[in-house]
């Protein structure tokens, strides 16, 4: 069964403005990246907008709140999802949005704060 393409409004978080409206055949989660009109954005929040029709609520559209961001080059697979940076470092935030507390801008390669996690 094919997923229906839903109207998706892409909204820049700061300054708050609509970047555009698209029809997507996938559901971007916070932490994923989206290309719109040649620019790359990180998805920060996803809101669902429902419509009541014929006695039922149905998903009408999705609003994505984004910020401009380059696609990260350093990612690690951690507990079933991609996270920024090296997930084997003790300082890793294990997040799709933040690399770590001591070196948030990276890179992890050659970082003087790198400390392997105890296993």
């Amino acid at each position: 069964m094919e997923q229906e393409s839903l109207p998706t409004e892409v909204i820049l978080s700061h300054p708050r403005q609509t970047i555009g409206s698209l029809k997507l055949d996938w559901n971007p989660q916070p932490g994923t990246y989206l290309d719109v009109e040649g620019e790359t954005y990180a998805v920060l929040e996803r809101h669902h907008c429902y419509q009541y029709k014929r006695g039922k609520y149905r998903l009408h559209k999705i609003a994505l709140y984004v910020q401009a961001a380059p696609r990260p080059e350093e990612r690690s697979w951690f507990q079933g999802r991609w996270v920024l940076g090296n997930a084997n470092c003790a300082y890793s935030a294990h997040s799709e949005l933040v690399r770590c507390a001591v070196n948030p801008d990276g890179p992890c390669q050659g970082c003087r704060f790198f400390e392997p996690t105890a296993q």
Side-chain angles (χ1 to χ4, degrees):
M1 182 173 130
E2 276 188 41
Q3 183 174 351
E4 181 182 335
S5 295
L6 284 171
T8 304
E9 183 178 11
V10 182
I11 303 163
L12 189 61
S13 287
H14 187 73
R16 186 155 297 199
Q17 65 183 17
T18 297
I19 295 172
S21 294
L22 328 158
K23 284 210 171 207
L24 299 176
D25 59 355
W26 62 292
N27 290 319
Q29 300 292 328
T32 59
Y33 291 83
L34 179 70
D35 293 321
V36 179
E37 298 176 0
E39 295 291 323
T40 302
Y41 299 94
V43 177
L44 303 176
E45 296 179 43
R46 183 180 76 189
H47 294 219
H48 294 171
C49 304
Y50 291 89
Q51 188 174 49
Y52 188 73
K53 205 178 218 180
R54 295 186 202 131
K56 291 184 191 177
Y57 284 100
R58 86 178 176 91
L59 186 56
H60 174 64
K61 74 174 188 175
I62 296 172
L64 296 177
Y65 290 86
V66 300
Q67 75 179 18
R71 284 190 189 270
E73 294 179 17
E74 292 181 310
R75 297 187 311 164
S76 301
W77 189 251
F78 179 75
Q79 296 181 348
R81 61 192 168 93
W82 288 103
V83 298
L84 287 180
N86 186 340
N88 295 321
C89 178
Y91 297 109
S92 175
H94 298 137
S95 166
E96 299 93 342
L97 301 173
V98 178
R99 181 184 314 272
C100 71
V102 295
N103 188 16
D105 296 328
C108 293
Q109 182 72 27
C111 176
R112 65 186 177 110
F113 300 106
F114 178 79
E115 206 173 294
T117 55
Q119 297 203 19

